[in-house]
Amino acid sequence: MTEMLFKKTDYTLQGLLTDIDMGRIGLPDIQRPFVWPNSKVRDLLDSMYRGYPVGYLLFWETGAASDRSRTIGEGGKQKAPSLLIVDGQQRLTSLYAVMRGIPVLRDNFQHETIRIAFNPLDGKFEVPDATTDKTPEFLPDISAVLAKDSFSVINGYLSRIETTRTLTDDERDRAIKAITRLFELQGYPFVALELNATATEEQVADVFVRINSEGKKLNQSDFILTLMSVFWDEGRTALEDFSIETRRPPTSLGAASAYNQIFQPEPDSLLRVGVGLAFRRGRLQHTYSLLRGKDLQTGQFSQQQRDQQFERLKAAQSRVLDPTHWADYLNVVRAAGYRNARYVSSEMALVFGYQFYLIGRTEYGVPPHALKQAVARWLFMSLLTGRYTGATETQFEKDLALLPASGDASDFLRTLAEVGDAELTEDYWDKTLSMELATSSGRSPSLFAYYAALVLSDARALFSKGKVADLLDPPASGKKKALERHHLFPKRYLKKLKIEGVRETNQIANYALVEWDDNIAISDIAPKDYWPGYASRFSTDDLGDMMRWHALPPDWWEMDYPDFLRARRPLIAHVIRDGFRLLATGEQTARSTDASTVSA
């Protein structure tokens, strides 16, 4: 018979709560924050009250010695957690919160105390509202009730009801039995399947998917964040707080804040940056095992090794969440031409770019001005080429391996430049990029790189005196975006030409950035009819700049639509190339005279 990967253990609810209190079971979390609505908590308690089964629990042994005293996190927990919750966390969180009166963290990152009301006369649980609060038949909060003894609760309940009316003998009997049964929920039986400590993360994830009815999947960051919740909960909390702060404006002017509109990472993305710094790993596959204190050679667990690995992670995370590092890196992203998260095609590129920035700054000692320029170029290159889409971990593992062992700043800069040059060859600029622009994808990396290049070139929007950089990042947002994508050949005009497919009409080469009022005004007018009027607003020099920035071929408004698309793609590629080279030289390369020839 195949050796079992698990064992079955019987618990009572009170036993589970005690083990959580003691720290033997690490309660937070694989699906934190708490996402169940109170109505689902009510239904869980109702099922238990009726004696219905509410499902098994799935635990995973951590390999920690269960008899060694130790304080873990807050709450005076006395034991090193020997069990992690893989499945059933929401149920246990619900029950622990209600039975102990502990607030939960909601998915809006606000703390809330779960209140469930109970009517002993009809044995029903309800989510409290104004009606239940005013109705004497209801116990308005069972958390407060269960903190007392059943005798005092019964006497208090009956006395309160009888101040308003006389109870029948049957009602008194039902109320007494119902309240007694409510307290007996602490003895409700649970079955737990406990996976052995020898089980790998892949096996645990596979078991979870095979037996979980909700079809959720676990990834490596789930495991690591869970382990942090057990052994370094303040570190996990710091990641969550920082993630929230990136989305929430500061409450006072001038206060230090991570808030921004460019990069608002989830906790697992911030974790990935820290793991890369601490362990030089792009893959998270073995990081969980390292943090559990597992020797990857012998398979043995060691508290000493676990503590050492967590110290490395703590030191790295302090760099990741350093406000100065964070603010400086956001300026690097802006310097690369990316001003808003809407126009970033891959958050992973920002994640790994932050790792390179921190490595260069804190480990290679790269001078700040040189580091910002090098990382900005790297970001532009990786976002344009989609370097971190697909097998992102594998690619970044390769990139980390390229970093020189010398620790020399000039070697670090040379490596980043050489990789960028190898990717963005003349053949790429002249041929490959033009082909990549032949798409109607609204989130194409090349489209967003074009926007970034316009920012770097200090370009103005088409038909406007407003800078693209300012309009992409306006001081306020109205019902209309300050800058809109305008179809140079309007869709309704193309429809008259029997060109209707989205793939044809929404080609990148048919788009230009204009202010919203100009976009509305043009409507379905043919290019040859609207262009002369708009062109007359500008001098010859201004119009030449505008045609160069917006990659408009000479006499484009007279072209057939397919010819226009073919002529414009290489010009867009040249604008992107010039923007990238500006990051290195600060000077825009010479352009073909064809691109700036104007005739209105």
Side-chain angles (χ1 to χ4, degrees):
M1 181 178 178
T2 303
E3 183 178 354
M4 292 292 101
L5 197 64
F6 72 97
K7 65 181 179 182
K8 180 178 78 70
T9 305
D10 294 320
Y11 289 91
T12 63
L13 175 57
Q14 184 57 49
L16 288 168
L17 299 180
T18 299
D19 280 348
I20 292 169
D21 286 333
M22 297 291 290
R24 178 175 176 269
I25 297 174
L27 179 56
D29 85 284
I30 280 183
Q31 293 95 3
R32 180 166 149 180
F34 184 72
V35 296
W36 270 18
N38 287 354
S39 59
K40 196 163 184 177
V41 180
R42 174 202 62 199
D43 294 344
L44 172 65
L45 289 165
D46 184 68
S47 294
M48 294 170 61
Y49 181 82
R50 294 172 182 272
Y52 295 170
V54 294
Y56 64 89
L57 302 170
L58 183 62
F59 296 155
W60 185 15
E61 294 178 354
T62 65
S66 59
D67 59 348
R68 179 172 13 88
S69 294
R70 181 174 179 220
T71 299
I72 304 293
E74 300 177 354
K77 297 177 181 178
Q78 300 173 18
K79 292 184 179 293
S82 57
L83 295 172
L84 298 181
I85 303 170
V86 178
D87 194 15
Q89 188 268 336
Q90 296 294 312
R91 276 167 288 160
L92 278 183
T93 299
S94 302
L95 295 171
Y96 190 77
V98 170
M99 295 292 178
R100 296 290 192 259
I102 304 296
V104 297
L105 182 69
R106 288 295 186 181
D107 55 2
N108 63 356
F109 299 103
Q110 299 295 319
H111 284 89
E112 175 193 339
T113 299
I114 301 174
R115 290 181 61 226
I116 302 296
F118 179 63
N119 186 336
L121 293 179
D122 60 14
K124 289 186 178 180
F125 295 87
E126 296 290 348
V127 176
D129 56 22
T131 301
T132 59
D133 287 343
K134 294 177 181 178
T135 304
E137 283 79 8
F138 272 96
L139 295 168
D141 184 359
I142 65 172
S143 294
V145 169
L146 294 172
K148 306 173 183 178
D149 65 89
S150 60
F151 181 77
S152 63
V153 171
I154 290 171
N155 285 340
Y157 179 75
L158 296 177
S159 298
R160 187 174 74 250
I161 297 295
E162 290 181 333
T163 60
T164 60
R165 67 182 179 87
T166 301
L167 290 169
T168 66
D169 290 342
D170 178 64
E171 287 177 324
R172 290 177 60 86
D173 185 56
R174 278 191 284 122
I176 292 171
K177 288 181 179 179
I179 293 174
T180 301
R181 188 173 181 82
L182 178 65
F183 275 86
E184 289 174 348
L185 286 180
Q186 297 174 84
Y188 183 91
F190 279 90
V191 173
L193 307 179
E194 298 179 2
L195 297 169
N196 301 336
T198 56
T200 66
E201 303 93 286
E202 292 81 4
Q203 288 174 319
V204 174
D206 190 30
V207 170
F208 181 91
V209 171
R210 287 171 182 255
I211 65 179
N212 188 279
S213 61
E214 296 182 25
K216 299 175 182 176
K217 292 186 178 181
L218 304 181
N219 55 44
Q220 298 294 333
S221 61
D222 289 325
F223 289 119
I224 297 174
L225 289 169
T226 300
L227 201 64
M228 289 178 69
S229 297
V230 174
F231 291 107
W232 185 36
D233 195 44
E234 60 269 29
R236 168 66 184 266
T237 301
L239 291 177
E240 292 175 338
D241 289 346
F242 194 90
S243 177
I244 296 169
E245 192 178 329
T246 64
R247 296 161 169 78
R248 185 176 295 167
T251 55
S252 59
L253 291 175
S257 172
Y259 175 71
N260 71 97
Q261 296 286 347
I262 305 173
F263 188 19
Q264 299 174 335
E266 296 294 331
D268 59 338
S269 293
L270 294 167
L271 168 69
R272 188 178 291 278
V273 180
V275 166
L277 289 177
F279 307 110
R280 278 296 193 275
R281 291 182 180 272
R283 297 188 183 95
L284 298 181
Q285 181 176 1
H286 298 305
T287 304
Y288 180 84
S289 294
L290 291 172
L291 290 174
R292 290 175 71 199
K294 184 178 182 180
D295 188 312
L296 299 182
Q297 299 298 321
T298 66
Q300 298 299 309
F301 291 90
S302 161
Q303 179 192 357
Q304 181 181 7
Q305 184 167 339
R306 183 186 67 218
D307 292 343
Q308 290 174 348
Q309 303 293 17
F310 264 104
E311 287 304 316
R312 291 175 64 182
L313 183 59
K314 290 176 184 179
Q317 185 165 305
S318 69
R319 288 183 276 163
V320 175
L321 304 186
D322 182 284
T324 300
H325 294 165
W326 177 252
D328 201 39
Y329 177 65
L330 291 177
N331 285 330
V332 170
V333 180
R334 287 175 60 86
Y338 292 86
R339 299 299 179 92
N340 195 295
R342 290 195 303 268
Y343 307 115
V344 174
S345 56
S346 169
E347 183 180 290
M348 293 307 295
L350 300 185
V351 170
F352 294 137
Y354 193 26
Q355 284 191 16
F356 273 127
Y357 167 82
L358 290 171
I359 290 171
R361 175 167 180 157
T362 64
E363 298 179 25
Y364 284 82
V366 181
H369 71 281
L371 178 64
K372 293 175 184 178
Q373 186 180 51
V375 176
R377 279 172 55 87
W378 181 274
L379 273 175
F380 194 103
M381 178 274 294
S382 58
L383 283 166
L384 171 59
T385 61
R387 189 175 187 83
Y388 300 119
T389 56
T392 57
E393 290 188 337
T394 300
Q395 181 59 60
F396 194 63
E397 195 101 333
K398 292 178 181 177
D399 290 342
L400 285 173
L402 295 173
L403 292 179
S406 65
D408 182 74
S410 59
D411 290 342
F412 177 88
L413 294 172
R414 187 181 305 110
T415 298
L416 264 59
E418 288 175 349
V419 173
D421 291 341
E423 289 288 332
L424 303 180
T425 62
E426 288 303 316
D427 191 59
Y428 175 84
W429 293 122
D430 293 338
K431 298 178 182 178
T432 305
L433 182 53
S434 293
M435 291 187 290
E436 291 177 353
L437 287 164
T439 177
S440 60
S441 172
R443 293 195 56 81
S444 166
S446 52
L447 174 63
F448 291 161
Y450 176 49
Y451 293 172
L454 291 175
V455 171
L456 293 169
S457 301
D458 204 30
R460 294 189 293 273
L462 186 63
F463 311 137
S464 171
K465 294 290 186 180
K467 298 288 183 67
V468 169
D470 296 332
L471 296 171
L472 285 176
D473 186 20
S477 298
K479 293 182 179 180
K480 288 282 189 179
K481 292 180 182 178
L483 204 59
E484 292 188 345
R485 287 188 295 184
H486 160 64
H487 289 80
L488 291 165
F489 281 69
K491 292 178 71 172
R492 282 187 287 180
Y493 168 70
L494 290 174
K495 186 175 181 179
K496 298 175 184 177
L497 303 179
K498 308 301 182 182
I499 300 174
E500 300 184 47
V502 171
R503 180 173 175 78
E504 289 73 32
T505 60
N506 286 2
Q507 284 281 312
I508 286 177
N510 193 28
Y511 281 132
L513 291 175
V514 301
E515 295 194 59
W516 67 269
D517 47 355
D518 286 326
N519 194 27
I520 292 175
I522 290 172
S523 185
D524 60 349
I525 304 173
K528 64 180 180 180
D529 294 327
Y530 74 74
W531 173 258
Y534 281 96
S536 65
R537 297 179 182 177
F538 304 96
S539 67
T540 301
D541 289 343
D542 284 345
L543 194 59
D545 286 339
M546 191 174 296
M547 292 191 68
R548 173 168 52 81
W549 288 326
H550 295 280
L552 298 176
D555 300 324
W556 67 272
W557 52 91
E558 299 286 355
M559 287 183 169
D560 289 336
Y561 182 62
D563 292 338
F564 164 73
L565 296 178
R566 282 191 293 270
R568 191 173 183 231
R569 287 178 194 129
L571 299 181
I572 295 176
H574 292 165
V575 173
I576 298 173
R577 178 198 62 191
D578 289 351
F580 176 74
R581 290 179 177 173
L582 272 171
L583 290 173
T585 65
E587 298 178 0
Q588 195 162 5
T589 56
R591 293 296 314 276
S592 165
T593 54
D594 288 345
S596 57
T597 301
V598 181
S599 58

